[in-house]
Amino acid sequence: MEELATKLLAEGIQKKVVSPGKGELSTFPDGTKVIFHYRSSLCDGTVLDDSRTMGGRNKPMELILGKKFKLAVWERVIATMREGEVADFTCDVKHTALYPLVSQSLRNISAGKDPLEGQRHCCGIAQIHSHHSLGHCDLDQLQANPQPLVFTLELIEVLTPGSFRLDIWAMTDEEKLEVVPQIHVEGNALYKKGDVKEAAEKYHNAIACLKNLQMKERPGDEGWIKLDLMITPLMLNYCQCQLVQGQYYEVLDHCSSIISKYEDNMKAYFKRAKAHAAVWNETEARADFAKVVELDPSLGPSVAKELRAMEERIRSKEKEEKGRYKSLFSYDSNATATTVSSQVPSRSFFESGPILKHLKVAVLF
């Protein structure tokens, strides 16, 4: 262990074991999956990221070794740890220059966004020198002023190659294209079982996978269009899940995006119509329902059912509002009369000199 620590120190990495692990040290061949919690801090103790709190999910990091992860130092230090071990690694600037970009991706993932959202299409080093904001003040400052960082890692599990299915982000382009149909089927099965939230996550992952591939194509080119045609049914399934979960405005956005590209997509019109109806956009809902029937007359009965349901909801809402307004303006006549009479000045008050004088002036003007 002392020899290993000396090697790390020579590389600009200082290791401090907080809690020893168990068992033998793995050989960590390429393709090994490591699952670990991390906390990234400045040397003054300021915490940048913590996998136990990011996004409120307490979700550990999963990394496939040998896949050229941007922050290569994590692969290097993980290879010195046993399962269950907790250790601090203080790393020189040469190992941490790309951390702002890695952190941005990790924060996007924890927020359910595309990991590459907000990043430019260039290599990591070029992005560092582009002065492009990462959307987080602390990361912008770190990008402008690179400095040593402390990574506190807890190695939870080590999985040998072949004992698990690769995460999408760790797949090659060919592997991603092969796995998307399988994820689609898994999402459909989950939706049929009533596991809507889990199904939505499956569809979302498949969409993110294809969009990642689509970013490498020129918009409008054959490859881009082919991928977009694969994304569209997944997006519609995702929208169906969001309809069930009450995320109506997200459905409106996604379906409008689909319709802007494919004006004859009946399913997009149908889902958007239902979302409009749910948020009381009656005019827009009727227009979309009419378009559905125009595109597929056989859906007339289904559309009529949706329209009746919408009209019934509108009547119920109007009735409820009338009742609310009625109660707002209703009053107890006896109580009001007593209150008013107690506040109305006496006749002698109005007949007094000053008041009468002011009234006469008011009449003249």
Side-chain angles (χ1 to χ4, degrees), residues 328-339:
L328 181 64
F329 291 105
S330 63
Y331 61 93
D332 185 330
S333 58
N334 293 328
T336 303
T338 301
T339 304

PDB file of all heavy atoms in Angstrom, residues 328-339:
ATOM      1  N   LEU A 328     -69.993  34.443  -2.176  1.00  0.00           N
ATOM      2  CA  LEU A 328     -69.174  35.623  -1.930  1.00  0.00           C
ATOM      3  C   LEU A 328     -70.041  36.862  -1.713  1.00  0.00           C
ATOM      4  O   LEU A 328     -69.753  37.704  -0.877  1.00  0.00           O
ATOM      5  CB  LEU A 328     -68.225  35.847  -3.118  1.00  0.00           C
ATOM      6  CG  LEU A 328     -67.268  37.037  -3.013  1.00  0.00           C
ATOM      7  CD1 LEU A 328     -66.305  36.844  -1.853  1.00  0.00           C
ATOM      8  CD2 LEU A 328     -66.502  37.215  -4.310  1.00  0.00           C
ATOM      9  N   PHE A 329     -71.154  36.970  -2.485  1.00  0.00           N
ATOM     10  CA  PHE A 329     -71.993  38.162  -2.414  1.00  0.00           C
ATOM     11  C   PHE A 329     -73.252  37.989  -1.566  1.00  0.00           C
ATOM     12  O   PHE A 329     -74.040  38.899  -1.430  1.00  0.00           O
ATOM     13  CB  PHE A 329     -72.400  38.592  -3.831  1.00  0.00           C
ATOM     14  CG  PHE A 329     -71.244  39.115  -4.632  1.00  0.00           C
ATOM     15  CD1 PHE A 329     -70.671  38.334  -5.646  1.00  0.00           C
ATOM     16  CD2 PHE A 329     -70.698  40.357  -4.365  1.00  0.00           C
ATOM     17  CE1 PHE A 329     -69.597  38.807  -6.375  1.00  0.00           C
ATOM     18  CE2 PHE A 329     -69.618  40.827  -5.096  1.00  0.00           C
ATOM     19  CZ  PHE A 329     -69.080  40.056  -6.098  1.00  0.00           C
ATOM     20  N   SER A 330     -73.482  36.781  -1.037  1.00  0.00           N
ATOM     21  CA  SER A 330     -74.640  36.576  -0.167  1.00  0.00           C
ATOM     22  C   SER A 330     -74.371  37.203   1.192  1.00  0.00           C
ATOM     23  O   SER A 330     -73.232  37.337   1.611  1.00  0.00           O
ATOM     24  CB  SER A 330     -74.921  35.071  -0.009  1.00  0.00           C
ATOM     25  OG  SER A 330     -73.834  34.443   0.632  1.00  0.00           O
ATOM     26  N   TYR A 331     -75.489  37.622   1.892  1.00  0.00           N
ATOM     27  CA  TYR A 331     -75.322  38.245   3.207  1.00  0.00           C
ATOM     28  C   TYR A 331     -76.563  38.035   4.041  1.00  0.00           C
ATOM     29  O   TYR A 331     -77.644  37.714   3.544  1.00  0.00           O
ATOM     30  CB  TYR A 331     -75.030  39.741   3.073  1.00  0.00           C
ATOM     31  CG  TYR A 331     -76.151  40.511   2.382  1.00  0.00           C
ATOM     32  CD1 TYR A 331     -77.167  41.129   3.109  1.00  0.00           C
ATOM     33  CD2 TYR A 331     -76.172  40.590   0.994  1.00  0.00           C
ATOM     34  CE1 TYR A 331     -78.198  41.799   2.454  1.00  0.00           C
ATOM     35  CE2 TYR A 331     -77.190  41.260   0.337  1.00  0.00           C
ATOM     36  CZ  TYR A 331     -78.193  41.874   1.072  1.00  0.00           C
ATOM     37  OH  TYR A 331     -79.206  42.525   0.435  1.00  0.00           O
ATOM     38  N   ASP A 332     -76.389  38.212   5.325  1.00  0.00           N
ATOM     39  CA  ASP A 332     -77.479  38.129   6.290  1.00  0.00           C
ATOM     40  C   ASP A 332     -78.134  39.499   6.362  1.00  0.00           C
ATOM     41  O   ASP A 332     -77.542  40.461   6.829  1.00  0.00           O
ATOM     42  CB  ASP A 332     -76.907  37.729   7.662  1.00  0.00           C
ATOM     43  CG  ASP A 332     -78.012  37.507   8.694  1.00  0.00           C
ATOM     44  OD1 ASP A 332     -79.065  38.157   8.584  1.00  0.00           O
ATOM     45  OD2 ASP A 332     -77.776  36.690   9.615  1.00  0.00           O
ATOM     46  N   SER A 333     -79.399  39.616   5.884  1.00  0.00           N
ATOM     47  CA  SER A 333     -80.071  40.916   5.780  1.00  0.00           C
ATOM     48  C   SER A 333     -80.218  41.600   7.129  1.00  0.00           C
ATOM     49  O   SER A 333     -80.043  42.813   7.258  1.00  0.00           O
ATOM     50  CB  SER A 333     -81.447  40.752   5.124  1.00  0.00           C
ATOM     51  OG  SER A 333     -82.250  39.852   5.872  1.00  0.00           O
ATOM     52  N   ASN A 334     -80.530  40.848   8.157  1.00  0.00           N
ATOM     53  CA  ASN A 334     -80.707  41.453   9.482  1.00  0.00           C
ATOM     54  C   ASN A 334     -79.399  42.015  10.010  1.00  0.00           C
ATOM     55  O   ASN A 334     -79.321  43.136  10.492  1.00  0.00           O
ATOM     56  CB  ASN A 334     -81.248  40.414  10.473  1.00  0.00           C
ATOM     57  CG  ASN A 334     -82.674  39.999  10.118  1.00  0.00           C
ATOM     58  OD1 ASN A 334     -83.450  40.804   9.587  1.00  0.00           O
ATOM     59  ND2 ASN A 334     -83.010  38.745  10.402  1.00  0.00           N
ATOM     60  N   ALA A 335     -78.336  41.177   9.850  1.00  0.00           N
ATOM     61  CA  ALA A 335     -77.027  41.615  10.359  1.00  0.00           C
ATOM     62  C   ALA A 335     -76.549  42.834   9.591  1.00  0.00           C
ATOM     63  O   ALA A 335     -76.034  43.779  10.157  1.00  0.00           O
ATOM     64  CB  ALA A 335     -76.017  40.476  10.248  1.00  0.00           C
ATOM     65  N   THR A 336     -76.790  42.842   8.288  1.00  0.00           N
ATOM     66  CA  THR A 336     -76.330  43.960   7.463  1.00  0.00           C
ATOM     67  C   THR A 336     -77.076  45.228   7.799  1.00  0.00           C
ATOM     68  O   THR A 336     -76.513  46.308   7.899  1.00  0.00           O
ATOM     69  CB  THR A 336     -76.523  43.613   5.972  1.00  0.00           C
ATOM     70  OG1 THR A 336     -75.830  42.408   5.683  1.00  0.00           O
ATOM     71  CG2 THR A 336     -75.994  44.744   5.092  1.00  0.00           C
ATOM     72  N   ALA A 337     -78.393  45.071   7.978  1.00  0.00           N
ATOM     73  CA  ALA A 337     -79.208  46.250   8.293  1.00  0.00           C
ATOM     74  C   ALA A 337     -78.754  46.891   9.596  1.00  0.00           C
ATOM     75  O   ALA A 337     -78.649  48.105   9.717  1.00  0.00           O
ATOM     76  CB  ALA A 337     -80.691  45.859   8.401  1.00  0.00           C
ATOM     77  N   THR A 338     -78.461  46.028  10.552  1.00  0.00           N
ATOM     78  CA  THR A 338     -78.023  46.548  11.847  1.00  0.00           C
ATOM     79  C   THR A 338     -76.698  47.284  11.693  1.00  0.00           C
ATOM     80  O   THR A 338     -76.506  48.374  12.221  1.00  0.00           O
ATOM     81  CB  THR A 338     -77.845  45.380  12.854  1.00  0.00           C
ATOM     82  OG1 THR A 338     -79.093  44.712  12.965  1.00  0.00           O
ATOM     83  CG2 THR A 338     -77.411  45.899  14.200  1.00  0.00           C
ATOM     84  N   THR A 339     -75.803  46.660  10.919  1.00  0.00           N
ATOM     85  CA  THR A 339     -74.484  47.262  10.739  1.00  0.00           C
ATOM     86  C   THR A 339     -74.575  48.586  10.009  1.00  0.00           C
ATOM     87  O   THR A 339     -73.972  49.572  10.394  1.00  0.00           O
ATOM     88  CB  THR A 339     -73.576  46.302   9.947  1.00  0.00           C
ATOM     89  OG1 THR A 339     -73.519  45.064  10.631  1.00  0.00           O
ATOM     90  CG2 THR A 339     -72.181  46.880   9.795  1.00  0.00           C
TER      91      THR A 339
END
